[in-house]
Structure formats: structure tokens, C-alpha cells
């Protein structure tokens, strides 16, 4: 499962990239708005940091297919080939996905709440489809089940699209989809930190250090013990 950061805060991105095995960054208009800076300035800084090879996912704003297509080309022109254009799976969005995919623009179909949206986006040629796990749960449906079923639909229909699950609230949701082998997950920094946060592990590591220092002295390690 690919592992992406769902944020544009460059300080948080640098810190998480430094520690976790990260494959790229996703953004959406709300995330950009929360950060409050000029979108292309922020996104170019991210591109420079992650390099040309890593995935950067950026969403269009237009509601009509023609506008989405023009925006898509502008985004790729500004941010490079390995930029995935996020297009909401609406009626107009599907039209844009179909056209842009034929023109070899990488598409991430987004705002997916149903299996049928997932199927249609894959059939239209999207590289990724992003079901919103937690938002689906909040509607009283089952976000994990939706993501898994979209993954199954692709496999059973020979559709070469990966699920890029989004909108996670906790580690369990991430783990469940990782276990299932879905293609990718994009996760907010706070949830990423929660994946590894465990006071019991910290206590175990501290006990190892304390025991070693009892043997060899304070601040000693395998580098300088005798
Ligand atoms: O891009 C979609 C995803 O970021 C939504 O996440 O946490 O706003 O539900 P959230």
C-alpha cells in the first residue's frame, strides 16, 4: 500500500517525510484554504522538497468538464508530470476524467462516496479513485467496506485503477485497508503520528536504555561502551 500525506503544511511534511516511508502528498481545496497561502507557491515548495518522482495530487475547482480540463493542464504545467489531477466524480467530472485519461494525464478521481462512483471513475480511465472512508462512516454507511468493494470491483473487472483511500480518523481504519492490500492511503499528519504512538513501546525502549546504562554508565551506547 502506498502511503501519502494528506496535507500541504511544509513543516509537517518535512518532519513526517524525515521519519516515515512516504510516497507523496495529496491536497484538496479545503486543505489549501486551511493553510492560507497562495496555492501554487505552497505546491511548488512541496514539489521542490519531494522531488520530481514523488506523487503530488492537486484538485481542480471548476464544475464543468471544459474548465476542469484547462485547469488540469495548467496544474501539470506548473507542477510537473508526476502530478495527479484530482477530479470529483460528478457527471461533468466523469467527462473530464474520460478525456484527460485518453490524453495521458494522471487522474485521481475524488469525492467518492459510493461503489458505483468508484466503478465509473475506473472505467473512465482514472489511475486512482479516492473513497472518503471516515466521511462515509459519518453518513451511517461503511467506509472501509466501500473502499474494499471498489478494490474488488477493479480486480473483478480487469480495471487497472488503484484505490487511494482518504479521510481517515484512526489507525484501525488504515490498518484494515493495508491488510486488505488496497493500492494507497492518504492520511492527515495527526493520524499518521497516531499510527506509531504507543507509550508501552516508549516504556520498553526506556527500560532497555536504563538497563544498559546500569551496565556501562550514563549516556553510553554500543559506540563507546567498554
Ligand atoms: O481529499 C479528501 C480527504 O482529504 C478528506 O479528508 O479528513 O476532510 O474527511 P477529511
Amino acid at each position: 500500500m502506498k502511503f501519502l500525506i494528506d496535507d500541504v503544511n511544509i513543516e509537517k511534511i518535512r518532519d513526517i517525510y524525515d521519519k516515515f516511508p512516504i510516497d507523496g502528498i495529496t491536497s484538496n481545496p479545503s486543505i489549501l484554504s486551511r493553510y492560507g497561502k497562495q496555492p501554487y507557491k505552497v505546491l511548488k515548495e512541496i514539489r521542490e522538497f519531494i522531488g520530481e518522482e514523488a506523487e503530488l495530487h492537486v484538485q481542480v475547482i471548476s464544475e464543468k468538464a471544459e474548465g476542469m480540463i484547462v485547469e488540469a493542464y495548467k496544474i501539470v504545467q506548473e507542477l510537473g508530470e508526476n502530478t495527479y489531477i484530482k477530479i470529483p466524480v460528478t457527471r461533468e467530472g466523469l467527462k473530464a476524467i474520460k478525456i484527460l485519461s485518453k490524453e495521458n494525464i494522471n487522474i485521481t478521481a475524488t469525492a467518492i462516496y459510493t461503489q458505483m462512483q468508484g466503478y465509473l471513475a475506473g472505467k473512465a480511465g482514472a489511475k486512482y479513485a479516492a473513497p472518503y472512508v471516515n466521511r462515509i462512516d459519518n453518513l451511517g454507511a461503511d467506509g472501509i467496506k466501500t473502499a474494499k468493494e471498489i478494490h474488488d470491483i477493479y480486480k473483478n473487472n480487469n480495471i487497472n485503477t488503484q484505490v487511494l483511500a482518504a479521510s481517515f480518523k484512526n489507525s484501525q481504519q488504515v490498518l484494515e485497508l493495508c491488510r486488505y492490500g488496497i493500492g494507497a492511503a492518504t492520511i492527515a499528519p495527526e493520524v499518521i503520528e497516531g499510527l506509531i504512538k504507543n507509550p508501552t513501546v516508549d516504556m520498553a525502549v526506556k527500560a532497555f536504555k536504563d538497563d544498559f546504562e546500569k551496565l556501562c554508565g550514563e549516556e553510553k551506547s554500543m559506540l563507546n561502551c567498554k
Side-chain angles (χ1 to χ4, degrees):
M1 184 174 84
K2 283 190 185 171
F3 196 68
L4 293 94
I5 306 173
D6 199 20
D7 207 333
V8 296
N9 182 316
I10 190 71
E11 287 79 28
K12 289 184 185 175
I13 289 172
R14 282 180 197 278
D15 185 44
I16 292 172
Y17 242 80
D18 193 39
K19 280 111 193 167
F20 292 83
I22 299 293
D23 295 295
I25 306 294
T26 57
S27 62
N28 67 35
S30 305
I31 289 172
L32 282 165
S33 173
R34 262 202 309 276
Y35 197 44
K37 299 186 181 169
Q38 202 269 328
Y40 279 116
K41 187 174 179 294
V42 171
L43 294 164
K44 282 181 179 178
E45 204 177 348
I46 293 171
R47 171 56 83 203
E48 201 181 315
F49 173 68
I50 65 176
E52 291 298 319
E53 300 302 312
E55 292 181 12
L56 177 59
H57 298 242
V58 178
Q59 192 162 329
V60 296
I61 309 299
S62 304
E63 286 170 319
K64 292 283 182 196
E66 290 69 23
M68 293 174 183
I69 291 166
V70 180
E71 274 189 76
Y73 277 105
K74 165 81 173 166
I75 292 168
V76 172
Q77 184 198 333
E78 295 283 344
L79 299 167
E81 290 292 310
N82 212 11
T83 303
Y84 286 69
I85 306 301
K86 291 179 70 180
I87 299 186
V89 185
T90 57
R91 208 163 172 276
E92 290 290 318
L94 270 179
K95 177 179 173 183
I97 293 170
K98 223 167 45 148
I99 293 170
L100 286 166
S101 295
K102 281 207 186 91
E103 295 172 2
N104 291 321
I105 299 289
N106 293 320
I107 303 297
T108 297
T110 195
I112 293 182
Y113 288 79
T114 68
Q115 290 84 337
M116 184 51 77
Q117 278 180 294
Y119 166 69
L120 291 171
K123 180 92 173 126
K127 289 266 164 54
Y128 286 113
Y132 289 0
V133 173
N134 199 61
R135 292 194 194 190
I136 295 171
D137 283 356
N138 285 343
L139 290 174
D142 187 335
I144 294 293
K145 185 162 174 271
T146 305
K148 286 178 172 177
E149 286 187 9
I150 294 171
H151 175 87
D152 293 343
I153 286 168
Y154 294 154
K155 280 212 292 202
N156 295 338
N157 289 277
N158 289 322
I159 292 173
N160 198 18
T161 305
Q162 297 286 326
V163 170
L164 165 55
S167 179
F168 289 98
K169 193 181 172 198
N170 60 54
S171 299
Q172 178 56 29
Q173 292 168 330
V174 178
L175 181 62
E176 188 60 37
L177 291 181
C178 184
R179 191 186 291 131
Y180 203 68
I182 67 147
T186 184
I187 310 165
E190 299 69 33
V191 179
I192 292 179
E193 295 296 348
L195 299 175
I196 191 81
K197 207 168 169 182
N198 187 334
T200 311
V201 175
D202 297 342
M203 278 163 62
V205 172
K206 186 175 182 317
F208 288 139
K209 185 171 161 60
D210 291 348
D211 287 343
F212 193 81
E213 288 187 344
K214 270 184 224 155
L215 176 67
C216 296
E218 245 179 78
E219 296 306 318
K220 296 291 185 193
S221 71
M222 293 306 288
L223 191 65
N224 54 12
C225 61
K226 295 216 172 90

